[in-house]
Amino acid sequence: MTAFEITPEEQAELDKTLYDALNPLASAIRSRETGLSADRMWDASPVEVALSVLAAWKVMDGEVKRLTEQAAVTAGSYGASYEQLGAVWGITRQGARKKWPDAVSRPAPGTAGALALFGGTAELVQSPSGGWGWTGRGADGASGTVAEQAPYATAEEAAAHAGAFLKEHALDIDDQV
């Protein structure tokens, strides 16, 4: 078994978790389609129920692709190469570059790249003195910057502080509903 394969027990738990997440979405889709309450989803014909479940899987597939791209971009912003992204995904370096064309970028002089975490973004900046800082906007719209003095010795240290800011300014699940 390679490092990225999962055990049969992990597979069973993953299946259960995904189905638990899928059922409310499938019920909501079915309810919108029929005008019936979500708790009556299973009263429909088997074909209609199965199509509602399929529609919910399509929505989840799109979300997994979006979150996968976000994870690749985040890894790239921390310095991962296309070769590393491809190795994790089981594809070539060229395949990773084609799949996530914007995941790995070459930062402009004086910058170390951008972070995309918790629904917000931050850019790392190196000052002429050699120190590192960041400027960012959280998912909740809050702005933050530690770029003027650039107090951090390394880009990694600045990224850690920027990441903490983005986590602090992520939207709560209740805010998204």
Side-chain angles (χ1 to χ4, degrees), residues 112-130:
L115 303 174
L117 299 169
F118 306 106
T121 59
E123 185 167 341
L124 305 179
V125 181
Q126 187 175 28
S127 72
S129 67

Side-chain angles (χ1 to χ4, degrees), residues 45-95:
S45 77
V47 170
E48 291 172 343
V49 170
L51 289 173
S52 298
V53 170
L54 182 62
W57 279 120
K58 175 148 179 46
V59 170
M60 287 183 75
D61 181 56
E63 282 301 296
V64 167
K65 287 177 182 170
R66 183 184 65 80
L67 293 171
T68 300
E69 182 174 354
Q70 183 177 346
V73 168
T74 299
S77 74
Y78 280 117
S81 67
Y82 278 116
E83 184 176 0
Q84 290 171 307
L85 295 175
V88 167
W89 205 249
I91 57 178
T92 65
R93 173 183 53 82
Q94 296 88 345

Side-chain angles (χ1 to χ4, degrees), residues 6 24 35 42 46 92 94 108 177:
I6 61 176
W42 304 109
T92 65
Q94 296 88 345
V177 178

Side-chain angles (χ1 to χ4, degrees), residues 2-113:
T2 66
F4 303 115
E5 291 180 5
I6 61 176
T7 66
E9 295 81 14
E10 291 167 333
Q11 182 68 54
E13 183 61 29
L14 178 60
D15 288 352
K16 180 186 178 320
T17 301
L18 289 173
Y19 281 116
D20 288 348
L22 181 80
N23 281 332
L25 181 59
S27 294
I29 289 170
R30 183 80 198 120
S31 178
R32 279 194 301 275
E33 291 293 317
T34 64
L36 298 173
S37 64
D39 61 336
R40 293 195 51 213
M41 172 189 172
W42 304 109
D43 293 341
S45 77
V47 170
E48 291 172 343
V49 170
L51 289 173
S52 298
V53 170
L54 182 62
W57 279 120
K58 175 148 179 46
V59 170
M60 287 183 75
D61 181 56
E63 282 301 296
V64 167
K65 287 177 182 170
R66 183 184 65 80
L67 293 171
T68 300
E69 182 174 354
Q70 183 177 346
V73 168
T74 299
S77 74
Y78 280 117
S81 67
Y82 278 116
E83 184 176 0
Q84 290 171 307
L85 295 175
V88 167
W89 205 249
I91 57 178
T92 65
R93 173 183 53 82
Q94 296 88 345
R97 185 185 309 269
K98 185 175 181 180
K99 185 168 191 63
W100 304 297
D102 299 322
V104 176
S105 61
R106 301 198 186 273
T111 66

Side-chain angles (χ1 to χ4, degrees), residues 142-162:
S143 295
T145 186
V146 180
E148 296 300 319
Q149 305 90 357
Y152 307 113
T154 65
E156 291 79 11
E157 186 180 4
H161 286 274

Side-chain angles (χ1 to χ4, degrees), residues 70 78 115-122 134 136-142 158-173 175-176:
Q70 183 177 346
Y78 280 117
L115 303 174
L117 299 169
F118 306 106
T121 59
W134 59 269
R137 179 170 302 277
D140 64 358
H161 286 274
F165 169 83
L166 295 173
K167 182 177 182 181
E168 182 178 327
H169 293 282
L171 290 178
D172 290 334
I173 295 295
D175 294 340
Q176 296 178 20

